């Protein structure tokens, strides 16, 4: 309907934010357009809001048309309350609900349901309506204030709007509005009292009416500045104001109410000043008309104070506009008006107006008022001050000083010479120093207004000095009447170097207090001030505590106040004149003298302290020393400085004079001048950063936070402004401290940290925290309301409530951020307990919702930003739901925050703050995050006005992120801007916290990754914002890492483009462009952007290397370029190790790159040498500063060196100079590490923090030493083969072997160094295998190791438990096994290499460790875990080697040998029995703690790889056992070939009594049947594997070159060595054939040969034994004949040419002959490994007449033992145990527990062990070399070789003969 449209109103609140210029940076075109659209409304002002009767539109019809009938009852009550036309009433309701309402839809339904519930909502809408009306007036006021100000950003737009409306129409309209407001009546129902809370609502209506009236008056006052009022307008205005009685006839306002009284005063002042401004005219005609019209009425107005200024102005108007000054009677009437004005104290009232808050700022309105008053004073002085009489009026100088304190009026005053108010100043000069106070105040005002230099020059050369006449001192000569001159010099001020010379003229003047001589001379004001201070000090005793009204005190105060301001304006010490020095220094004297009086003059002392403060920037050291000696500043005792809690609690604290004067004087006076002066001193000194924390800042902070801040709200003040000023200073001081701490780039200072801790701790406690939260919790409604009451919305009060709220919020942010300094991360401080209160709990503060409310503030553009930042900090520190504390629904949250994001008018600052809040919530607040991202759950619907709808109110952040992606695709470099950077932060947080599902709709869009990563594919600017690219790289890294098997085509294409050479190379240049200076450490501990980018790039490369080739493969060229640049930058960075972080990252990145190369990545020898040179530079630099390197840097560099040694082994071997430098550096590094380890550990002080727990392997040793040891192993392995002959010289020069032995002897007993012990033993083993092993003969190994290798003492008393130990620092048996096995292996290696030279030490070792060796041999009965198996094999290997010298062993320690050999027999019995007890074998493999579960499990045993490997290991053990036992069995050749037989030399090893294998191992003995059974098993295994032999010529010797295989594959051999059992096997039950078919065939053959040798020897010995009964011999023959049938069959099938042909039953397969060249006997070739086993078993003979059973080289066999994790059991055994083996039947030994496999280097170590054990001896013993032939160079029969076929054929023939012979 047209009628409705006519009365549509605008959203004035939104318009104010757009056009005012203080909230938005609105484009000028928008401001112009918006203002021109509302010109008519601006002209109409409040009259645009029509009353209810203005139209015929019925509210019910309107709501029916809007389909909102449910709102009719509420809207009707609203219309009655507002008295507003129906359409406008509906518009106001709609604006409120959409813009202001912050409740939920369901709450709104409740609010409008009943009359009681409506009250609060109606009042809120009424307040909103009042604000809308006021904003209309404020916009018009803004137009009039700034349309003539060129500096204003919207000056031209304002001018255009004003010109369109015209001032004339504005004037008429606002005069009408003034009449309307003054005559307006409240709504009818309010007057009739027919609604709830009528009285309160009437009062509110009247307050609103008064504020609007006052605002209209100000608008008229502004119009009067730009356009003079006409006669009719002035008379109309006068009539209206008179009718209003200058604002005093305001209905429903009570003057007893302070706020109402202030409202009436503002109306009075505004109406009075508007009239005075209208009367301040030079238009003579207008003056005549006004006099004729208004004289009678104005002349009769002399009853109230506000009439005084009006009478004064009216008198001056008549004198200026008429000739009343010439007519005596008229002049008399005018003087009577002036007299009445003076009697009404007009000057004091004008002073009150000038100092009122409305006119105290520097706005145009204030300038108009002040200029009007200033003009009237000038008129008065011109007319009446010819004789200086005006100076006698009360309050005139106070008014003058107030006016002159503003720059415009001060400048006008200085430009005048004699006229105007200058005459008042001249009067002061003539009477100096009689009116000392007034002159000082004028000088103070002019200095404050910027005229300091002018007035200072005046004050230093005053023209007159008035002295009370002293007949004795003044020697005068009369010149004429009242004129005299001095006849003798006169010292005007006693004690001051100032003398009046002879001839100085003077005038005698009678004053009220005496007869004065006015000398005409140049006088310095500061000399007079000096004199006043001297007099005050002399008169101190006579003052009797009367300091407030004493004239002398007041004079000194006024002079010092001017001195203070002058000193503040001085920039250098040279500008202080000599006369100023004495008053300045005497301030210290005043402080010293008056601080001790009973009631000190607080105001005087505060001014003195302010003078000292003004001098601090110039001479801070001297001032501080003098003030500190006065004992007026607070002090903290040194006893409390060690603990910030004691310090904050004010223990040993003294407030001294400061606390006393506040308690005894200032609280009584309700003025706190000295406290403010101290705050000023404290802040000024703090900003100087002199770091006297203990003397100034800490005591000051403790005083403020203990005695002032928490109690200030209980103190009484004369004005609220004074209280706010103290609050402002305290809060500002705290902010200063935080700023200084944050900006400090100095090294960490304990005192500064103490200051910070005291501050944070005090503010987190309730005393101070509650006050802080009260400011934060004021709420936007009250803050905005107080601002609405302000006259000037464009300029905030410096100490206003809004500023205090901002400061409090900022401090709260800092305190929450720094909380971790004083509270633990999980602890909740008292302050946080108040903040983090959910709405359902009792929460009167409601801090979090209140902070959120500041988002809608329209007066301060920074308050919403600070609000967002505080919410961000709360979200980060909050451990509960922020959503619950906000008490807002998701729609409300989005409306509060997200609606600002798409608004083009909102500043980037608020958008950045919102994005940071979203980013913070992603990390810690899932509820709020869902609200921001608009996560809608199924069936989530709510009622809004009774209508069901899907929750879709407000855009989510995803919308903004989508716009960001689109913009990024078009212009990739916008990522450098701040706002897009913050959006990328959100992407980064989503990926970082695995919440990318929140942006699924973006991920599903095509080319998402291409858009997001477009900046990476675009050339960045010269100085890119590295943090942005860091986040992009992180996002890509996370996505690639989480991709798995999914195909990300889009992302893969992006990465392919990224790794294109041009793009990748430019990014390498940017990322590796590292600054040379160390990065500055910031207070928030954030890393510099370039370090973050380097770390992210490193992570990306590492992830890609892990994912290739599944995801993408880095091109070789780019990867080599990366390696080259990384090494170059790493070497360069090694010279700048002040900041090690980039060096560590580069080193770790380079080692990951190196790990991808299997061989050198250089393309030429030159590049290889260049790379090695760079590596040498790096190593040298590392050696130079190794002790100072970070542990990560050490580890990475050692890993690099080790890997490079592998890659460039050939270069190191070929280039002796490089290799020697390399070795010297390695020796230097290992020497440093060993030196650190050898240092005695000093007892440490109790740690401040909990020490780190031990690692999983129980070691606290740093990895650097372990890496050093691995480097040693690598170097030794490389150079042992083909290195230079003197490669071991660097090691010998530093006595490395002795130091290693000493180190291992120190670490062996230490539990937390067991891993280090293992590594040290591994290194010793490697060196023992090399040609350095001779050095161990000279190292006293027995002294270092024999006793140290004994088990730890606690193990000897340990209980065998089936449960895992809960203690981490206690030895377990499993932990000792790896160490002990390596110790035995080391002994064995050295013994094998040096035989007799080391025999005595070995025998000594065996004697000491006899018990533990026996336990080790019998350990298999308790555990066959990998570590236990390795220990058993090491022990039996040592015994097998030592039996070669069994005679010497028996001579030294026969009992030891017998016990150990008994254990060997038991071990062999147990090993053989395990082939028949698969379940027991499985249990022993699983470990003790899992055995019970396996024994309970009745299912059939599954054959797996572990069991197969264990059987191979058991075969190894059987071979070693047989080798050991063969030394105690007759030699087969001797028995067969010797002519005599000596059976008494031997003892039977095999029991003749045959029987089935027994399950009870305690009664097992080694029998012929057991051995023959094992022969059968191995034959069966070889048969099942279809084992074949090497088909090589008979006289071909095996090749022994490094790395060369023996031709097994070429010969078509069917044996495959050790197999991995990976195919499925039935779990119901596995026959032994499943196990046998997967055993190592070659190993089975070796075991078969050894067993056959032992059986043959023992069987012949038994058969020929005279002591054995014949029937037992017959049993031996019978069982050999029967049990070896399978063996004979195997020989016939595999060895004989054609076993079916009886004619050739002894002819084996032959493969021809091969001519050969003699080998170089002098060379000691190394033997290469041909198989994958680490335990090689070889047969060799030690005498020339021994049958050579292992005549062909045994291929090295390597196994891969897999560690089994022990499981916990519940059975615990309580008997005492040995650390090696548990007690076994019939023995006195004990066993140890099992352990997991310890190291991956074990197999390599054993492999090398075997290789070196048998290499030389194999060639020397197995292959018999004859002397060089004298015939031709070779002969086919020169050497004869027996191979396996010959041996097996011989054994078959022998065992065929044995049963048939006697």
């Amino acid at each position: 309907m047209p009628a409705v449209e006519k009365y549509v109103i605008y959203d004035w609140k939104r318009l104010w934010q757009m056009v005012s210029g203080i909230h938005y940076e609105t484009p000028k075109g928008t401001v112009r357009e918006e203002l021109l659209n509302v010109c008519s409304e601006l002209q109409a002002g409040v009259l645009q809001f029509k009353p209810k009767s203005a139209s015929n539109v019925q509210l019910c019809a309107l709501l029916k048309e809007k389909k909102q009938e449910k709102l009719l009852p509420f809207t009707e009550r609203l219309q009655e309350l507002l008295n507003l036309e129906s359409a406008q009433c509906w518009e106001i309701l709609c604006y409120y609900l959409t813009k202001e309402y912050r409740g939920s839809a369901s709450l709104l339904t409740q609010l409008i349901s009943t009359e009681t519930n409506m009250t609060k909502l109606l009042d809120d809408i009424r307040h909103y309506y009042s604000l809308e009306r006021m904003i209309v007036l404020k916009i018009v006021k803004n137009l009039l204030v700034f349309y003539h100000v060129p500096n204003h950003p919207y000056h031209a737009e304002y001018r255009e709007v004003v010109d369109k409306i015209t001032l004339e129409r504005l004037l008429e309209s606002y005069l009408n509005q003034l009449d309307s407001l003054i005559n307006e009546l409240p709504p009818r129902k309010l007057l009739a009292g027919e609604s709830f809370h009528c009285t309160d609502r009437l009062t509110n209506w009247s307050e609103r009416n008064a504020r609007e009236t006052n605002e209209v008056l100000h608008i008229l006052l502004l119009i009067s500045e730009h356009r003079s009022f006409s006669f009719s307008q002035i008379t109309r205005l006068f009539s209206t104001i008179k009718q209003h009685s200058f604002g005093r006839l305001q209905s429903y306002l009570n003057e007893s109410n302070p706020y109402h009284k202030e409202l009436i005063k503002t109306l009075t002042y505004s109406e009075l000043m508007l009239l005075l401004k209208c009367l301040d005219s030079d238009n003579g005609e207008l003056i005549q008309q006004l006099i004729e019209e208004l004289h009678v009425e104005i002349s009769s107005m002399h009853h109230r104070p506000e009439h005084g200024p009006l009478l004064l102005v009216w008198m001056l108007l008549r004198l200026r506009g008429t000739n009343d000054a010439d007519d005596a009677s008229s002049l008399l009437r005018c003087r009577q008006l002036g007299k009445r004005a003076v009697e009404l104290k007009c000057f004091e009232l004008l002073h009150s107006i000038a100092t009122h808050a409305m006119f105290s700022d520097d706005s145009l309105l204030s300038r108009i008022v002040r200029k009007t008053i200033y003009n009237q004073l000038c008129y008065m002085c011109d007319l009446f001050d010819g004789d200086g009489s005006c100076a006698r009026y009360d309050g005139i100088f106070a008014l003058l000083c107030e006016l002159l304190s503003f720059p415009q009026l001060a400048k006008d005053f200085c430009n005048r010479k004699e006229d105007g108010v200058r005459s008042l100043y001249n009067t002061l000069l003539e009477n100096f120093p009689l009116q000392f106070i007034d002159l000082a105040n004028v000088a103070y005002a002019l200095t404050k207004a910027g005229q300091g230099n002018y007035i200072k020059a005046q004050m230093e050369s005053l023209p007159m000095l008035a002295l009370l006449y002293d007949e004795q001192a003044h020697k005068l000569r009369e010149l004429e009447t009242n004129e005299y001159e001095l006849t003798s010099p006169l010292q005007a001020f006693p004690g001051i170097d100032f003398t009046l010379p002879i001839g100085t003229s003077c005038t005698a003047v009678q004053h009220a207090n005496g007869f004065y001589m006015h000398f005409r001379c140049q006088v310095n004001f500061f000399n007079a001030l000096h004199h006043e201070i001297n007099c005050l000090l002399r008169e101190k005793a006579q003052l009797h505590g009367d300091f407030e009204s004493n004239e002398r005190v007041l004079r000194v105060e006024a002079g010092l106040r001017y001195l203070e301001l002058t000193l503040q304006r001085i920039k250098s010490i040279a500008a202080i004149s000599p006369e100023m020095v004495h008053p300045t220094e005497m301030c210290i004297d005043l402080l010293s003298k008056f601080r001790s009086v009973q009631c000190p003059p607080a105001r005087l002392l505060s001014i003195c302290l302010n003078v000292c403060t003004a001098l601090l920037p110039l001479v801070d050291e001297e001032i501080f020393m003098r003030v500190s000696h006065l004992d007026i500043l607070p002090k903290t005792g040194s006893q409390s400085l060690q603990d910030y809690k004691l310090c904050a609690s004010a223990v040993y604290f003294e407030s001294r004079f400061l606390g006393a004067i506040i308690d005894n004087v200032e609280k009584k006076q309700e003025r706190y001048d000295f406290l403010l002066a101290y705050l000023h001193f404290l802040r000024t000194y703090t900003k100087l950063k002199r770091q006297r924390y203990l003397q100034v800042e800490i005591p000051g902070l403790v005083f403020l936070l203990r005695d002032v801040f928490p109690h200030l709200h209980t103190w009484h003040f004369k004005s609220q402004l004074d209280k706010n000023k103290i609050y402002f200073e305290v809060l500002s001081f705290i902010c200063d401290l935080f700023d200084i701490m944050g900006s400090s780039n100095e090294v960490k200072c304990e005192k500064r940290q103490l200051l910070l801790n005291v501050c944070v701790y005090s503010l987190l406690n309730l005393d101070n925290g509650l006050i802080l939260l009260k400011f934060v919790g004021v709420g936007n409604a009250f803050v905005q309301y107080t601002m609405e009451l302000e006259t000037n919305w464009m300029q905030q009060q410096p100490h206003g409530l809004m500023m205090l709220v901002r400061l409090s919020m900022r401090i709260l942010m800092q305190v929450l951020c720094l909380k971790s300094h004083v509270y633990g991360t999980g602890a909740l401080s008292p302050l946080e307990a108040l903040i983090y209160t959910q709405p359902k709990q009792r929460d009167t503060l409601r801090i979090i919702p209140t902070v959120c409310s500041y988002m809608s503030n329209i007066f301060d553009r920074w308050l919403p930003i600070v609000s967002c930042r505080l919410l961000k900090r709360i979200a980060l520190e909050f451990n509960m739901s922020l959503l619950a504390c906000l008490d807002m629904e998701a729609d409300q949250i989005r409306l509060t925050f997200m609606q600002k994001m798409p608004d083009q008018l909102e500043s980037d600052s608020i958008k950045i703050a919102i994005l940071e809040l979203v980013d913070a919530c992603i990390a810690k607040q899932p509820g709020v995050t869902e609200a921001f991202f608009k996560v809608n759950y199924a069936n989530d619907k709510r009622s809004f006005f009774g209508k069901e709808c899907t929750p879709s109110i407000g855009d989510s952040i995803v919308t903004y992120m989508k716009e960001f992606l689109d913009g990024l695709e078009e212009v990739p470099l916008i990522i450098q801007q701040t706002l897009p950077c913050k959006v990328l932060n959100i992407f980064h947080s989503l990926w970082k916290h695995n919440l990318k599902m929140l942006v699924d709709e973006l991920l599903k869009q095509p080319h998402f990754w291409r858009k997001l990563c477009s900046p990476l594919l675009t050339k960045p600017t010269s100085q890119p914002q590295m943090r942005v690219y860091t986040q992009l790289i992180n996002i890509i890294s996370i996505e690639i890492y989480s991709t798995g098997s999914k195909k990300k085509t889009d992302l893969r294409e992006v990465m392919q483009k990224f790794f294109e050479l041009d793009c990748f190379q430019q990014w390498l240049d940017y990322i590796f462009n590292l600054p040379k200076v160390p990065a500055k450490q910031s207070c928030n501990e954030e890393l510099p952007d370039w370090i973050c980018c380097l770390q992210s790039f490193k992570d990306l490369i590492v992830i890609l290397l892990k994912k290739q080739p599944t995801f993408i493969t880095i091109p070789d060229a780019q990867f080599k370029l990366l390696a080259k640049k990384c090494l170059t930058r790493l070497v360069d960075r090694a010279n700048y190790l002040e900041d090690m972080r980039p060096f560590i990252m580069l080193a770790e990145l380079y080692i990951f790159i190196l790990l991808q190369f299997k061989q050198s990545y250089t393309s030429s020898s030159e590049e290889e040498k260049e790379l090695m040179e760079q590596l040498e530079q790096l190593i040298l630099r590392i050696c130079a500063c190794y002790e100072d390197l970070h542990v990560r840097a050490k580890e990475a560099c050692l890993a690099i060196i080790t890997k490079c040694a592998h890659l460039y082994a050939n270069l190191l071997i070929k280039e002796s100079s490089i290799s020697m430098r390399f070795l010297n550096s390695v020796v230097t590094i290992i020497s440093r590490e060993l030196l650190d380890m050898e240092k005695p550990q000093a007892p440490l002080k109790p740690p401040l923090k909990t020490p780190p727990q031990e690692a999983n392997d129980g070691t606290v040793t740093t990895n650097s030493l372990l890496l050093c040891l691995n480097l040693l192993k690598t170097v030794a392995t490389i150079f042992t083969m083909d290195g230079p002959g003197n490669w071991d010289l660097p090691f010998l020069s530093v006595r490395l072997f002795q130091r290693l032995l000493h180190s291992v002897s120190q670490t062996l007993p230490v539990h937390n160094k067991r891993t280090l012990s293992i590594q040290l033993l591994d290194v010793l083993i490697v060196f023992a295998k090399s040609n350095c092993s001779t050095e161990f003969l000279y190292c006293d190994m027995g002294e270092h190791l024999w006793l140290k290798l004994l088990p730890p003492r606690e193990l000897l008393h340990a209980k065998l438990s089936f449960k895992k130990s809960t203690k981490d620092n206690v030895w377990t048996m499993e932990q000792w096994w790896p160490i002990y096995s390596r110790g035995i292996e080391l002994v064995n290696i050295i013994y094998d290499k040096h035989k007799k030279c080391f025999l005595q030490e070995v025998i000594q070792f065996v004697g000491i460790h006899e018990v533990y060796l026996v336990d080790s041999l019998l350990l298999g009965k308790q555990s066959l875990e990998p570590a236990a198996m390795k220990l058993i094999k090491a022990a039996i290997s040592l015994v097998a080697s030592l039996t070669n010298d069994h005679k010497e062993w028996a001579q030294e320690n026969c009992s030891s040998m017998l016990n150990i050999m008994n254990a060997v027999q038991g071990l062999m019995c147990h090993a053989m029995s395990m082939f028949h007890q698969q379940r027991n074998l499985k249990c022993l493999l699983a470990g003790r703690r899992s055995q019970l579960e396996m024994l309970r499990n009745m299912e059939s045993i599954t054959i797996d790889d572990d069991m197969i490997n264990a059987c191979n290991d058991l075969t190894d053990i059987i071979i070693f056992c047989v080798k050991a036992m063969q030394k105690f069995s007759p030699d087969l050749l001797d028995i067969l070939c010797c002519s005599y037989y000596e059976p008494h030399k031997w003892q039977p090893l095999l029991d003749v009594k045959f029987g089935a294998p027994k399950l009870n191992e305690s009664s097992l003995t080694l029998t012929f049947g057991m051995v023959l059974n094992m022969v059968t098993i191995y034959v069966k295994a070889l048969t099942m594997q279809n084992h074949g032999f090497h088909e090589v010529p008979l006289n071909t010797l095996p090749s022994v070159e490094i790395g060369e295989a023996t031709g097994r594959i070429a010969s078509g051999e069917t044996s495959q060595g050790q197999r991995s059992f990976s195919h499925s096997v039935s779990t119901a039950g596995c026959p032994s054939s499943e196990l046998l078919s997967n055993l190592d065939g070659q190993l089975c053959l070796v075991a078969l040969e050894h067993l056959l040798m032992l059986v043959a020897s023992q069987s012949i010995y038994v058969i020929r034994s005279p002591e054995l009964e014949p029937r037992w011999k017959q049993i031996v023959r019978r069982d050999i004949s029967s049990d070896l049938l399978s063996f004979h069959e195997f020989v016939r099938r595999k060895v004989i040419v054609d076993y079916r042909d009886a004619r050739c039953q002894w002819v084996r397969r032959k493969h021809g002959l091969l001519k050969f060249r003699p080998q170089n006997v002098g060379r000691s070739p190394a033997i290469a490994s041909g198989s994958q086993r680490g335990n090689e078993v070889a047969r060799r003979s030690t005498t020339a007449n021994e049958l050579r059973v292992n005549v062909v080289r045994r291929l090295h066999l390597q196994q891969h033992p897999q560690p089994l994790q022990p499981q916990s059991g519940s059975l615990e055994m309580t008997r005492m145990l040995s650390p090696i083996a548990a007690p076994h039947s019939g023995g006195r030994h004990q066993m140890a527990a099992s352990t997991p496999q310890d190291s991956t280097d074990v197999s390599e170590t054993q492999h090398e062990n075997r290789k070196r054990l048998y290499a030389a001896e194999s060639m020397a013993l197995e292959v018999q070399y004859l002397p060089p032939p004298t015939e031709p160079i070779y002969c086919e029969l020169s050497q004869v070789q027996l191979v396996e076929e010959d041996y097996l054929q011989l054994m078959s023939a022998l065992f065929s003969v044995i049963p048939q012979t006697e």
Side-chain angles (χ1 to χ4, degrees), residues 28 110 384 389 850 1239 1293 1349 1414 1506 1657:
K28 294 182 179 180
Q110 296 176 7
F384 296 104
S389 58
T850 302
K1239 289 179 181 177
S1293 64
L1349 275 173
V1414 170
D1506 293 334
S1657 174

Side-chain angles (χ1 to χ4, degrees), residues 51 401 695 1774:
C401 293
Q695 291 87 4
T1774 59

Side-chain angles (χ1 to χ4, degrees), residues 335-350:
R335 286 183 177 274
Q336 288 175 347
L337 293 176
K339 181 182 179 183
R340 290 179 193 169
V342 172
E343 290 173 352
L344 291 173
K345 299 183 179 179
C346 63
F347 298 111
E348 295 178 0
L349 182 62
L350 290 173

Side-chain angles (χ1 to χ4, degrees), residues 1669-1719:
E1669 298 177 12
R1671 74 183 182 92
W1672 291 115
K1673 297 180 181 180
Q1674 185 61 32
I1675 291 174
V1676 171
R1677 295 188 188 98
R1678 183 194 64 191
D1679 285 351
I1680 288 177
S1681 176
S1682 61
D1683 290 351
L1684 293 181
L1685 290 177
S1686 60
F1687 169 66
H1688 295 309
E1689 180 67 18
F1690 175 76
V1691 172
R1692 284 195 297 271
R1693 288 179 176 273
K1694 297 294 182 180
V1695 177
I1696 305 304
V1697 173
D1698 189 353
Y1699 67 91
R1700 290 167 295 184
D1701 188 354
R1703 293 174 301 174
C1704 54
Q1705 57 179 339
W1706 296 113
V1707 179
R1708 79 168 182 86
R1709 290 184 177 90
K1710 296 179 176 59
H1711 308 291
L1713 301 176
L1714 179 69
K1715 297 179 180 180
F1716 66 95
R1717 296 178 182 275
Q1719 299 286 338

Side-chain angles (χ1 to χ4, degrees), residues 1361-1365 1374 1425 1483 1485-1494 1496 1764-1771 1794 1796:
S1361 174
F1362 283 86
K1363 294 182 179 179
K1364 187 174 181 180
S1365 175
E1374 295 91 335
E1425 297 174 73
C1483 292
L1485 287 175
R1488 184 180 304 107
R1489 299 186 184 98
S1490 302
Q1491 290 177 6
L1492 294 179
E1493 290 86 352
M1494 299 190 66
R1496 295 191 191 104
L1764 295 173
Q1765 295 298 327
Q1767 301 178 8
S1768 61
S1770 60
L1771 182 61
S1794 61

Side-chain angles (χ1 to χ4, degrees), residues 74 77 109-119 122 196:
F74 177 78
R77 285 165 179 75
T109 306
Q110 296 176 7
L111 290 176
I112 64 176
S113 60
T114 64
E115 190 80 25
T116 305
N117 294 342
M118 288 181 188
T119 304
L122 287 172
F196 289 103

Side-chain angles (χ1 to χ4, degrees), residues 348-377:
E348 295 178 0
L349 182 62
L350 290 173
H351 180 263
S352 299
I353 294 173
T355 55
H356 192 270
M358 284 191 302
F359 311 122
S360 60
D361 54 12
D362 194 26
S363 63
L364 178 59
L365 183 68
S366 300
R367 290 199 293 269
I368 294 171
V369 170
R370 291 169 179 274
K371 181 63 175 175
T372 301
I373 299 173
Y374 181 78
N375 289 342
Q376 302 307 316
L377 281 184

